[in-house]
């Protein structure tokens, strides 16, 4: 009996040890899963950091970037073609085309001046001795030529007149015109050229100074910067009027981007922000002209957005998921709360980035379903709001309604620490705002409009590195507002800024400020 009890005790002890070992193994496996998920997250973060630093900044490859590798190949092909033509011409084997090529005829803009050069044959006498041949037609070939940027000096002469009878007591002379820089060097056209060069064509002032120096003109970068500041100050009432026009709108887009600014007295660069407010009704055929206004701030907090939108009537604001905008929708903290609609592109981008590092059927399916929504949006762009809502209700709503339960089911199969769960919850948490476009034909699905308006800012930031001061950042915001609004309205910003500066200097009436708006410019 004693041996049986001893054996039973040993069996129980072995079973206990086996259970403990199994529990330890299960715990170790759980820890291993957590470690593997953490490792995968770190690898994705590292890959994302590398891609953000060295790779494309968009999930969609820019066509210009896609064609970069082929430019050298095309250049080499051009060299080979030229060498082949030269060899054929030397050997006399090159065949003349059966009919003259007219591929350029009618393709060049009509407003360009045409300089005609007529090439007559050496002789128009008939070889048979019949006399002069009669002209029966001609062959016209158009080629595109360029005249390098040419500077000129405008000399203003104001004659003086005196009365000889009165011994010079009476005299007359036209008053001096008002200039942007009193007794200064630049015309309004030169200042506009420099300003658009930096804030529209991403050429910092020091690069412009180098370009001017090639033509023997010494213009210091600090001088160019001062001129731009003066121009921005004069144009401030125009930007204020554009903002006042925006206050009438109840469907807007808003976003923000970084603006590095040199902190005074420290030598360090401070990260400030440029906030952007956009009105663009072209997607649904609205009659109000598109406007974009930039606003400089040292903060990204919601109170800045409140201050920018102070005096607005309220309505629907299309934004990304930045938490600062939540303050605008809180009736306890905002006098006229906004209804927030959220951007589908920002949500889609999360799945695109995740799938770049970790293949995921969930990401592939999510991206495909969002693509279906965008295909519908493409078909209804430009149609009136009622038609857009009707199409969305019929085709987009079933896709959206099926999306939520599917995503909730996916969450049940994923651990709470999985990064993909975070991306799914991002949209589910904002579901009402994500689906608001289904009920309103005046809303877009995304903030791509305001992001496109922002796009020149990072390019300028990349080339100019930072603004030299807070005032410089404010100048940046003002000029960016004018250039961006000109582009939205198909207006040449350089011609507009030059003409508007001249009108303001000529004492244009403040009551007629509407005439100076970019969409009213006829250059």
């Amino acid at each position: 009996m004693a041996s049986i009890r001893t054996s039973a005790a040993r069996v129980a002890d072995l079973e206990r040890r086996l259970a403990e070992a199994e529990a330890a193994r299960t715990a170790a496996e759980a820890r291993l899963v957590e470690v593997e998920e953490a490792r995968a997250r770190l690898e994705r973060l590292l890959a994302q950091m590398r891609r953000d630093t060295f790779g494309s900044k968009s999930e969609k490859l820019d066509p210009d970037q896609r064609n970069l590798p082929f430019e050298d190949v095309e250049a080499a092909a051009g060299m080979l073609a030229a060498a082949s033509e030269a060899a054929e011409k030397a050997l006399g084997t090159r065949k003349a085309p059966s009919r003259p090529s007219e591929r350029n005829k009618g393709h060049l803009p009509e407003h360009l001046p045409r300089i005609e050069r007529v090439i007559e044959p050496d002789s128009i006498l008939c070889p048979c001795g019949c006399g002069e041949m009669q002209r029966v037609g001609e062959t016209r070939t158009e080629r595109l030529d360029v005249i390098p940027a040419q500077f000129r000096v405008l000399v203003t002469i104001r004659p003086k007149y005196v009365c000889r009878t009165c011994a010079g007591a009476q005299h007359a002379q036209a008053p001096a015109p008002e200039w942007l820089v009193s007794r200064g060097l630049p015309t309004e056209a030169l200042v506009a050229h420099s300003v658009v060069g930096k804030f529209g064509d991403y050429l910092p002032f020091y690069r412009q100074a180098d370009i001017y120096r090639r033509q023997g003109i010494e213009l210091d970068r600090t001088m160019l910067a001062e001129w731009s500041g003066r121009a921005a100050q004069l144009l401030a009432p125009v930007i204020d009027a554009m903002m006042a026009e925006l206050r009438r709108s109840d469907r807007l887009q808003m976003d923000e981007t970084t603006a590095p600014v040199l902190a005074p007295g420290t030598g360090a660069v401070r990260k400030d922000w440029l906030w952007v407010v956009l009105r663009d009704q072209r997607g649904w055929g609205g009659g109000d002209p598109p406007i974009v206004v930039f606003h400089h701030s040292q903060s990204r907090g919601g109170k800045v957005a409140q201050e920018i939108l102070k005096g607005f009537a309220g309505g629907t604001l299309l934004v990304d998921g930045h938490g600062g905008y939540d303050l605008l929708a809180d009736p306890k903290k905002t006098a006229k709360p906004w209804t927030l609609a959220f951007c589908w592109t920002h949500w889609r981008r999360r799945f695109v980035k995740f799938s770049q590092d970790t293949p995921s059927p969930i990401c592939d399916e999510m991206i495909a379903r969002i693509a279906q929504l965008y295909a519908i949006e493409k078909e209804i762009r430009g149609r009136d709001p009622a038609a857009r809502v009707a199409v969305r209700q019929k085709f987009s709503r079933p896709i959206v309604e099926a999306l939520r339960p599917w995503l909730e089911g996916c969450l049940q199969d994923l651990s709470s620490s999985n990064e993909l769960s975070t991306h799914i919850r991002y949209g589910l948490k904002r579901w009402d705002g994500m689906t608001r476009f289904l009920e309103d034909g005046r809303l877009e699905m995304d903030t791509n409009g305001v992001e496109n308006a922002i796009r020149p800012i990072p390019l300028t930031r990349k080339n100019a590195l930072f603004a030299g001061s807070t005032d410089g950042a404010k100048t940046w915001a003002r000029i960016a507002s004018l250039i961006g609004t000109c582009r939205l309205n198909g207006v040449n910003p350089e011609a507009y800024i030059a003409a508007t500066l001249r009108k303001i200097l000529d004492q244009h009436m403040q009551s007629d400020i509407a005439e100076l708006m970019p969409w009213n410019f006829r250059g």
Side-chain angles (χ1 to χ4, degrees):
M1 292 294 293
S3 61
I4 293 175
R5 285 196 296 270
T6 301
S7 298
R10 288 177 178 176
V11 169
D13 184 57
L14 288 173
E15 289 178 347
R16 180 181 57 79
R17 292 181 179 180
L18 182 62
E20 291 176 352
E22 183 66 22
R25 184 182 67 81
T26 302
E29 288 179 348
R31 286 196 299 272
L32 180 61
V33 170
E34 292 178 358
V35 169
E36 286 297 318
E37 288 183 351
R39 182 185 63 79
R41 283 198 300 273
L42 290 175
E43 288 181 350
R44 282 195 295 273
L45 286 173
L46 181 59
Q48 186 62 48
M49 290 176 64
R50 287 172 177 167
R51 187 161 47 252
D52 290 344
T53 304
F54 304 109
S56 171
K57 299 300 185 293
S58 171
E59 65 268 21
K60 182 178 180 181
L61 186 62
D62 191 305
D64 291 334
Q65 292 179 327
R66 187 184 297 112
N67 292 328
L68 281 176
F70 299 105
E71 291 181 354
D72 293 335
V73 177
E74 291 162 352
M79 292 177 61
L80 292 175
S84 177
E85 290 173 4
E88 290 176 356
K89 184 177 181 180
L91 294 173
T93 59
R94 185 180 180 187
K95 297 180 179 179
S98 57
R99 55 179 300 180
S101 173
E102 296 185 354
R103 60 179 177 271
N104 290 334
K105 191 173 181 180
H107 287 220
L108 297 176
E110 290 296 329
H111 71 271
L112 296 179
R114 260 67 175 175
I115 309 299
E116 294 188 354
R117 176 191 176 196
V118 180
I119 304 176
E120 295 283 1
D122 294 336
S123 174
I124 60 173
L125 295 176
C126 179
C128 302
C130 304
E132 290 188 356
M133 291 181 280
Q134 300 296 315
R135 180 171 177 172
V136 294
E138 62 184 18
T139 300
R140 299 178 71 91
T141 303
E142 292 189 350
R143 298 184 301 156
L144 187 62
D145 193 23
V146 61
I147 300 175
Q150 185 179 30
F151 291 91
R152 62 183 183 179
V153 179
L154 296 185
V155 182
T156 302
I157 301 173
R158 297 184 295 127
K160 296 181 179 179
Y161 297 90
V162 297
C163 178
R164 295 297 186 184
T165 305
C166 301
Q170 301 296 329
H171 65 278
Q173 185 181 28
E178 191 74 23
W179 291 343
L180 181 65
V181 181
S182 179
R183 300 180 180 273
L185 188 67
T187 64
E188 300 76 42
L190 178 60
V191 174
H193 180 75
S194 178
V195 163
V196 175
K198 176 173 181 177
F199 299 105
D201 300 329
Y202 330 118
L203 278 174
F205 289 137
Y206 78 90
R207 293 187 185 176
Q208 295 186 41
D210 289 341
I211 294 172
Y212 299 151
R213 195 172 293 115
R214 288 201 294 268
Q215 298 207 37
I217 300 174
E218 292 291 336
L219 296 178
D220 188 79
R221 59 188 299 179
T222 57
M223 187 183 299
L224 298 175
E226 182 191 357
W227 295 347
S228 71
R230 288 174 177 268
Q233 181 64 28
L234 273 182
L235 294 167
V238 178
I239 291 95
D240 293 340
M242 287 165 49
M243 200 66 177
E245 172 70 16
L246 279 179
R247 290 191 179 95
R248 300 192 306 105
S249 306
D250 59 357
R251 298 292 186 279
L252 298 172
Q253 296 183 32
M254 197 169 185
D255 203 352
E256 71 289 329
T257 188
T258 57
V261 177
L262 188 64
T266 65
V269 176
R270 184 181 70 222
K271 185 170 76 170
D272 287 6
W273 296 88
L274 288 182
W275 292 74
V276 196
V277 184
L278 170 75
R279 178 183 75 188
D280 191 351
Q281 301 177 353
R282 292 174 296 177
W284 51 271
D288 294 335
I291 304 174
V292 60
V293 173
F294 291 79
H295 179 87
H296 167 257
S297 173
Q298 295 186 23
S299 170
R300 198 191 181 195
K303 290 185 177 179
V304 177
Q306 273 187 322
E307 185 62 29
I308 293 173
L309 298 178
K310 187 177 181 180
F312 280 65
T316 303
L317 191 65
L318 182 57
V319 295
D320 58 21
H322 173 43
Y325 295 114
D326 295 341
L327 194 64
L328 300 173
D330 190 343
K332 296 180 180 179
K333 299 179 180 179
T334 302
K336 295 180 180 178
W338 290 79
T339 300
L340 298 184
F342 294 109
C343 172
W344 281 79
T345 293
H346 280 79
W347 196 14
R348 175 186 180 275
R349 194 172 293 151
R350 288 171 166 262
F351 294 96
V352 171
K353 289 186 176 181
F354 185 92
S355 63
Q356 287 173 339
D357 305 316
T358 307
S360 168
I362 295 177
C363 289
D364 295 340
E365 179 66 19
M366 183 65 176
I367 294 169
R369 295 195 184 194
I370 295 178
Q372 293 175 346
L373 294 175
Y374 273 104
I376 297 169
E377 290 300 303
K378 183 178 179 180
E379 294 298 323
I380 62 175
R381 178 163 181 80
R383 299 173 64 178
D384 64 86
R388 283 159 63 92
V389 169
V391 174
R392 286 171 174 173
Q393 290 292 320
K394 183 176 181 180
F395 298 104
S396 300
R397 180 174 288 280
I399 298 173
V400 173
E401 289 181 345
L403 191 61
R404 183 169 188 173
W406 174 71
L407 288 173
E408 290 173 344
C410 292
L411 283 178
Q412 295 178 0
D413 298 330
L414 297 170
S415 66
S416 58
S417 60
N418 191 304
E419 185 181 348
L420 188 54
S421 299
T422 304
H423 299 328
I424 293 175
R425 293 192 187 95
Y426 171 91
L428 293 180
K429 180 182 177 181
R430 300 168 173 82
W431 191 254
D432 289 342
M434 298 296 299
T435 59
R436 195 150 277 134
F437 78 101
L438 296 173
E439 309 290 343
D440 191 342
R442 294 176 293 173
L443 285 181
E444 301 295 339
M445 264 187 66
D446 52 48
T447 58
N448 287 355
V450 72
E451 287 194 353
N452 289 336
I454 284 178
R455 200 174 303 280
I457 300 298
L459 291 172
T460 302
R461 183 174 63 214
K462 180 179 179 181
N463 290 333
L465 299 183
F466 51 81
S469 65
T470 299
D471 289 337
K474 291 179 179 179
T475 298
W476 191 356
R478 288 175 179 175
I479 300 300
S481 301
L482 289 175
I483 293 177
T485 302
C486 283
R487 285 175 169 168
L488 289 172
N489 289 276
V491 170
N492 181 345
E494 188 172 330
Y496 165 77
I497 291 176
T500 305
L501 285 174
R502 186 66 264 163
K503 289 179 180 178
I504 294 174
L505 290 170
D506 288 341
Q507 306 301 316
H508 186 89
M509 296 296 292
Q510 179 72 24
S511 58
D512 298 330
I513 192 71
E515 297 177 3
L516 301 184
M517 296 297 102
W519 52 88
N520 291 327
F521 176 71
R522 299 293 180 268

